[in-house]
Every structure is written in C-alpha cells, then in structure tokens.
Amino acid sequence: MARVKTYEFQAKSVLLPNYLGVSLTSSNYQSILKNLPKELTSTNLVLKVDQGIKKRGKQGLVKINLSPSDIPSIIEEWSSLGWTSFLLEPVIEHSAEAEHYLAIERARDGWHVSYSAKGGIDVESSWDSIKNAVLSPSGELPKGVSTFLKSPILQAFITNILPLMEQYHIVFLEMNPVLIRETHVVPLDMACEIDDTGSNLPSIPNKNISESETKIASLDASTPASLKFKLINPSGSIWVLLSGGGASLVLADEVADQGMGHELANYGEYSGAPTDEDVYSYTKIILEQMLASTHQQSSKLKALVIAAGIANFTDVAKTFKGIIRAMEEIKADLKVSHVKVFVRRGGPNEAKGLQMMSDFLTGADIPHIIHPHTIPLTQVINDVKEYLS
Amino acid sequence: MISIPQIRASANKIIIVGEHPAILQSMLDFDYLSGKKEPGIIGIVTGRRGFAKYFFGRREILIPTYATTQSMQLQGEISANAISVHEVNFWFVNFLSGRRTLSSVLHDQALSSFVGGIIFAEGVPELHSLKIIEQNKKLIIGPSSVGLIIPGILKLGPIGGITPEQVEEGKLTELGNVAVVSGSGGMTNELINVAIQAGHRLSFALSYGGDRFPILSPRDAFLLAESDSSTKTVLYYGELGGEDEYELVRLKAEGRFSKQVIAHIAGTVAGLFPESPQFGHAKAKADKEKTTALAKRSALQSAGFSVSSSFSEFIELVNKLPLAR
C-alpha cells in the first residue's frame, strides 16, 4: 500500500516501444539463453542485476560487451552473492558525453521533471547541473519558460511516456544514463517506482530478509489487514508488538530518542482491523524470533512492548485475545528468558482487554506493567528504560 | 470549500456509502449525546432497498437503505424533516474499498450537491486521489481517514472512538478552542486525549490520512482552522515522508496563518536503518533528506511553530498551554 520499486525489465517493457531486453533469473537463465531472440545473439550484450538497487555500476553489477557464452559464469557468480534477477540487453554504442540524466516524479501539483546534460555514473558530482520543471497533471509544459524541455525530441518522449506512467501507476522514473538522439530518446538504465495500490506490475522483494520477515510478509499478503515487521537487531533487548501506523512510529522514535536505539530489536505494526487469528499468527512469529535470539544470550534482560495509541474502532479485547493465545503457548519460555512485558493500550473494550492481559500475565507469573489510555503513550518506554538500566 | 463556522451554523445530514454498523451507531450516539432531536444519518447506500435498525438513545430507529446514491430522494428526506433545503449541509461517509473510491466519489453525480465527506478506505491509488483533488473543491477528507468531528455538531466516521464512553470521556459534545489535525487515525485520538487530559476542549478534530496525497491537505486543514474564530491553537501530528509540511511553512511566511501551533513530526527512528524503510502509512518513507522527520521539524520550527523533539515533550507543551477562560 505504498510506493515500491519494480523491475527495470518490467518498466522498459511497458514504456519503450520495440524494447529488446530479456529478463533472466538464477533458476531459468539456461533455458532462456538457449532461445534468445535473433537481435540479441548477433550483437554485443550488457548484463545487469535487476533488483532495484542504486549505484549498480559502481558495485560491479553491470557487465558490458558480452557474448551469450559469457553470460552463465557471470550469473553463477552473481547468484552466489545472493542476486536472483538479471536483465540482458543489446549494448547501444555511444560516447560518454552523450549520457544525459532524466527523472520524472508524480507530485501533488503535477509531474516534476529533472534533467541534466551531464548524466552517467558520476551524475552526483554534477548535481548542480540538474534543471527542474513542473508539468501540469495532464502533462502541459509550463508557459513561457525557456527550459531544457524546448528540445522537441525530449518533449515528444515525455508527452508519450506520461499517459503510460498513469496507466501503469508508475510514480517515479529515473533514467541515467539516457541518450537523446536525433529522432528519439534511448534510456539505457532505468529505475522505476510504482504505486502498488493501483499497479499490476510486480514489486521487487527485499534482498536478504530474515525468515521471520518473509513469514510475516506472506501473512500480510493473505489478509486485508496490515501486518508489518522489520528485524533491526536480533540481539537487541527491546522487542515491540505495536499497533497503528502512527503510534508505532512514535513509540519506536521514543526508544531511539531515549538513547536505546541500539537495543531496538524490531519495528512493526498491525492495523486495519486484523482478526484475532491474524494477530495470533503475527505475534507467534515475532515471539519465536525473540526467543531464538534470547536463547543465545540467556542472561540478557528482554523487554516486550505491547503498545499502541487509543483505537478509534479496533476492538482491544479481540486483538489482545490473539496476542494472549500466542503467549500462552510459550509462557514457560517467556518466564525463563527474563522477559518483562510492558503494555499500553486504549480504545473500544479497553478495560476488558487490559484485564484479560493482566490475568494472563499474572497467572503465568511473567513480570509486567499495564497502562490504560489515561497514562501518556510514551510512558511505557520510560518504564522499559528503567527496567533495562 | 465550506468553513467550520458554516458547518456549525446549519443542519448537517449524512449519507453513508457502504456498511460499518459499529461506526454508524457511534455517529448516532454522538448526535444523541449532543442533545439533537433527530439523527444526522438519513440514509445508507447498501445496494439493497429497505431499512436498517439502529438506536437513537434508547429508541430503536429505522434508517432507509438504498440500492445506489442516485435512488435516494434527498428532497423527500428533507421535507420529511421539515427543514428548508438551503439550510442543510449534505455529507457522505464512504466505507467502500480503495479501488472503488474514485468512481464512487467523483463519478457519482448524486453526490454533486454534497458539501463534502470522508473516505475511510486505505489503499486508494495515488492517481485516483490526485484526480479527485484536481476536480473537486469540496471538503473531502481522506483517503485512509478516521474522519472529522466538530463537538456537539458533527461526527463523520469513527474519529474520537466508537463507544458512548469514548464520546463522553473525550468531551466530544463540548465546544472548545483546540483543533487537532493529524495524519494518523490512532494518533488523532491520542492527540484528542492529550488535549482533554490537559483540561482543554476541541474546536474540531480531523484526520487527513496517511496517504501521499491527502485530498484535504494539511495546508487546507490549517486554513479551516484560521477561518474558525473558535480555534485558538492547532495540535498537529505529521510523519516523515512527503512535503506537505513545507506548505505549512509557506502559509505562515505568506502571512495567511496566524494561530498558535504545537507540532510533532514522527519518524526519527528511520535513522537506525541504512535506508529509510516504508513505515505503516503509505506516505511514511523519507526518500530524500528534505522529507526526513528532522528536516521537517526544523523547517516548521524556523517558521515559528512550536515543535517538539519527542512525543513526551509534545505532551508537556500541550500541558503548558493556558486554558480557555
């Protein structure tokens, strides 16, 4: 439900007429190389990692002047480093001076276009050469302004590409380098962000994410509710089970603001009226991750923060039911692992939810502090600080 | 766009598009607790013609349901209530899913006589919000908004809570002079709570939503506060990501906004990550330096707003705010 990166291959396929590139993965490249289109077998090739990463060239993840027989060993090497998606294209000969920079982003007032005649791998060293213009939402040029957009070739390219960006919900496009030829514009490298609420183009999964993050991402994809989880520091002392986009941010900020950022093990939030089953599964994955790292440092104190703002319509008792069910299954482990639980929540059915939580934690003999909505949101982080110091 | 005083000065009638019984009941409870003789909700577009049972106080009431907004007889509803059409503001509360929002809001001619409404759904495509922004001048709040509340007058959406206890505890029927403007639904309620616990009452509160392009922008919300003589102070909650706060800075620099503001911008925790992650709300990602929480805090501070460096400090600043006499 936000802006995410999509593959260069996907972006070029929908935006550029007669695009010749081919997408390969670690697992399918052999069969694809056997059936390469004619245009790719008879020319120099460029191979790049296609996973939305910045400064690809500087990291050695772009190789040029290849023939098809060079490809397998490079893919093997990159695959051993964890890369999985690649893009194969014909090399387009050009001089370094011909490399321009062009970016288009959708903003509230229209399309923001940035351009520099000095593009290429070192564009950042000539950042001040970048010129900007704002086009109206329907793509009209600003009136009477003498800009880089005077170039009829560039203008035609932008006029043609904006409707396609709208159609595919592409909200950001960076082309660097891009060649501006006599009759047409040729983007060589392209970075692309889509709005995943509207676009059917695929998003790029993050590289090297933990097993627990993968599990929660698939859980998130299976429910209309929102379930987010990021592992920051598995050996940290502070584990959080937070609800709501805003309050989760405020609480995580408070951990960092109070000088405990290095102890923050994870960030995450559940929201959008999840079922108690959703909350149960979500909690279970996080608690398992917490215990896995706790086992490695059995003497270290752990704080589990179950907190959120004051719900407008989310039923506190219902969501707490799911959390308690997950904790119930591992209550013995929680007890021996020096976990103290810090709770703060408000909203519909608050009293019942907090009472259920208190009864459970008391019964399981797990130390805890429970705050209702009348205690300020961030007090719970002060309590954590006191506990850990 | 209608102003807050204009909303207070007229009768307000609400059409619900979609279904969310607990939230509807809370809007009826609000009207009842505010001492209104009749509920503000006059119809629910459910796709079926008939009636839905709700409570107004202890009295059971039947609210008509409609197949489409076109099939509603607004004139009929109004004459039944014996009120002149000119004195009534019509509002919608849209509970439909994100992808159905554009067509249900923009292409529905029946809504053209409405003064505005709220869009509850998350996941409305950015380009759809932008189309609504380009083509409308109504007071439309959202997407992903928990709503608008004007104490004693109007409650659109779950804002302020859905149980009668929440309405009573939030003093949501008593007019005050503190406005709450927040990008997060949960934090809207949290800010209301901070203000009420400090002894204040609300002039109005709204959640403009966590999307990249809120239809009612923070700037629009500040202009609503400026033109409302009841509002003395605005409590503002924003997050990292997007550039909406720079519009607030501009508004102040242009001399178009004069009221006191206490602002908190969340998202400094992004500094713990090598690259700003995507947080809970769609807009909550700082892809450039200018859109980090710290950059926006310092810009707002330079413009002359009170800006807290932590949420604890925000609470302290609100607690120090003098109470209205």
Side-chain angles (χ1 to χ4, degrees), chain B residues 241-243 246 250 286-296:
Chain B
E243 302 191 8
Y246 293 97
R250 202 162 300 140
D287 41 15
K288 29 187 144 136
E289 174 57 29
K290 196 182 176 188
T291 63
T292 60
L294 285 178
K296 295 207 271 187

Side-chain angles (χ1 to χ4, degrees), chain A residues 108-345:
Chain A
R108 195 175 176 98
D109 54 351
W111 299 95
H112 288 206
V113 181
S114 309
Y115 167 79
S116 168
K118 297 180 191 168
I121 198 164
D122 291 317
V123 68
E124 282 170 14
S125 61
S126 43
W127 217 236
D128 52 3
S129 71
I130 289 189
K131 298 181 175 70
N132 301 295
V134 181
L135 275 59
S136 80
S138 54
E140 288 141 22
L141 301 174
K143 279 197 192 90
V145 193
S146 168
T147 66
F148 57 91
L149 292 167
K150 290 270 183 208
S151 152
I153 299 299
L154 196 52
Q155 220 181 84
F157 175 76
I158 292 171
T159 310
N160 289 329
I161 212 168
L162 293 183
L164 292 169
M165 290 180 70
E166 280 220 14
Q167 182 184 340
Y168 293 98
H169 291 262
I170 293 171
V171 290
F172 176 74
L173 202 55
E174 185 175 56
M175 290 154 274
N176 184 39
V178 56
L179 310 178
I180 300 175
R181 296 267 159 104
E182 270 173 38
T183 56
H184 61 296
V185 171
V186 187
L188 299 183
D189 287 345
M190 191 181 261
C192 179
E193 285 182 21
I194 52 168
D195 170 15
D196 70 353
T197 57
S199 185
N200 293 322
L201 300 178
S203 62
I204 303 176
N206 288 332
K207 189 182 171 238
N208 297 332
I209 63 170
S210 66
E211 202 189 326
S212 44
E213 285 167 309
T214 311
K215 280 188 197 165
I216 288 178
S218 65
L219 193 62
D220 186 32
S222 72
T223 159
S226 165
L227 305 168
K228 301 278 176 275
F229 175 72
K230 282 182 186 68
L231 196 56
I232 302 174
N233 171 17
S235 56
S237 285
I238 305 173
W239 291 79
V240 295
L241 257 175
L242 309 175
S243 174
S248 63
L249 200 50
V250 169
L251 287 159
D253 277 356
E254 192 75 12
V255 172
D257 290 347
Q258 298 220 18
M260 300 186 291
H262 60 289
E263 289 292 359
L264 187 60
N266 74 299
Y267 165 80
E269 60 108 10
Y270 62 91
S271 60
T275 63
D276 50 342
E277 187 65 30
D278 288 339
V279 178
Y280 161 76
S281 308
Y282 177 79
T283 305
K284 201 167 171 212
I285 296 165
I286 296 176
L287 293 182
E288 277 167 2
Q289 175 74 58
M290 179 179 86
L291 289 176
S293 51
T294 306
H295 286 315
Q296 290 160 9
Q297 317 148 278
S298 52
S299 63
K300 194 168 178 178
L301 294 176
K302 297 275 165 180
L304 174 62
V305 182
I306 302 174
I310 305 165
N312 293 284
F313 59 98
T314 304
D315 188 314
V316 174
K318 212 172 110 191
T319 49
F320 272 18
K321 208 170 128 193
I323 294 178
I324 292 170
R325 214 177 108 209
M327 290 186 7
E328 172 78 42
E329 288 177 12
I330 51 156
K331 60 185 179 187
D333 291 317
L334 289 173
K335 202 180 161 216
V336 298
S337 304
H338 307 283
V339 176
K340 181 165 178 175
V341 180
F342 298 82
V343 181
R344 194 277 187 174
R345 187 59 161 140

Side-chain angles (χ1 to χ4, degrees), chain B:
Chain B
M1 191 183 291
I2 193 168
S3 71
I4 300 285
Q6 284 168 336
I7 300 172
R8 288 202 194 95
S10 316
N12 293 282
K13 295 292 171 189
I14 304 158
I15 297 292
I16 308 289
V17 184
E19 288 178 90
H20 213 308
I23 296 175
L24 259 75
Q25 185 58 59
S26 80
M27 292 165 61
L28 296 167
D29 292 344
F30 170 84
D31 282 350
Y32 181 76
L33 291 167
S34 299
K36 295 189 186 180
K37 293 196 170 61
E38 292 298 328
I41 299 174
I42 55 169
I44 312 169
V45 180
T46 59
R48 299 174 300 277
R49 182 146 184 87
F51 291 93
K53 267 187 200 174
Y54 282 91
F55 281 91
F56 190 64
R58 287 185 182 169
R59 174 161 65 97
E60 198 172 70
I61 55 169
L62 293 172
I63 300 178
T65 65
Y66 299 92
T68 63
T69 40
Q70 278 84 353
S71 60
M72 293 181 306
Q73 300 287 319
L74 288 183
Q75 300 284 346
E77 297 301 333
I78 293 318
S79 55
N81 286 318
I83 308 168
S84 141
V85 175
H86 300 288
E87 294 167 6
V88 176
N89 302 318
F90 286 108
W91 299 93
F92 66 82
V93 173
N94 190 316
F95 288 121
L96 299 182
S97 68
R99 292 209 184 195
R100 289 170 70 195
T101 297
L102 177 69
S103 58
S104 63
V105 170
L106 207 53
H107 302 151
D108 192 337
Q109 287 306 311
L111 294 182
S112 61
S113 59
F114 284 45
V115 294
I118 69 153
I119 297 170
F120 184 66
E122 293 186 39
V124 175
E126 281 183 16
L127 290 170
H128 294 184
S129 291
L130 288 167
K131 290 254 179 297
I132 299 174
I133 292 169
E134 277 166 42
Q135 295 182 28
N136 110 90
K137 297 288 166 256
K138 299 175 193 299
L139 178 53
I140 297 180
I141 309 178
S144 73
S145 170
V146 295
L148 165 72
I149 194 158
I150 302 175
I153 302 290
L154 182 65
K155 180 182 194 288
L156 296 175
I159 186 167
I162 57 165
T163 62
E165 298 77 46
Q166 284 178 297
V167 172
E168 280 175 81
E169 222 174 81
K171 310 290 180 198
L172 298 179
T173 60
E174 300 170 30
L175 178 67
N177 62 11
V178 173
V180 167
V181 174
S182 157
S184 150
M187 290 307 293
T188 307
N189 221 357
E190 196 67 42
L191 260 59
I192 292 174
N193 184 51
V194 169
I196 298 301
Q197 296 224 14
H200 301 284
R201 297 292 178 269
L202 300 178
S203 52
F204 70 94
L206 66 86
S207 155
Y208 60 85
D211 279 15
R212 182 165 292 262
F213 302 121
I215 297 170
L216 179 95
S217 66
R219 178 184 188 276
D220 298 331
F222 270 46
L223 289 173
L224 283 179
E226 181 70 13
S227 66
D228 173 29
S229 56
S230 298
T231 299
K232 300 280 182 268
T233 305
V234 177
L235 306 185
Y236 179 79
Y237 172 85
E239 295 175 353
L240 79 169
E243 302 191 8
D244 290 336
E245 283 76 11
Y246 293 97
E247 292 296 319
L248 304 179
V249 169
R250 202 162 300 140
L251 210 54
K252 181 87 174 169
E254 290 166 354
R256 298 182 61 191
F257 186 83
S258 63
K259 302 197 171 174
Q260 182 176 11
V261 173
I262 303 177
H264 184 71
I265 306 295
T268 50
V269 70
L272 295 181
F273 298 83
E275 196 183 322
S276 171
Q278 174 69 52
F279 290 99
H281 296 127
K283 193 171 73 171
K285 180 181 181 184
D287 41 15
K288 29 187 144 136
E289 174 57 29
K290 196 182 176 188
T291 63
T292 60
L294 285 178
K296 295 207 271 187
R297 282 181 192 176
S298 94
L300 289 171
Q301 193 140 32
S302 306
F305 299 126
S306 292
V307 181
S308 50
S309 57
S310 69
F311 193 68
S312 309
E313 192 194 347
F314 178 85
I315 298 172
E316 282 168 33
L317 291 173
V318 177
N319 286 342
K320 282 184 200 154
L321 201 62
L323 292 178
R325 278 166 294 149

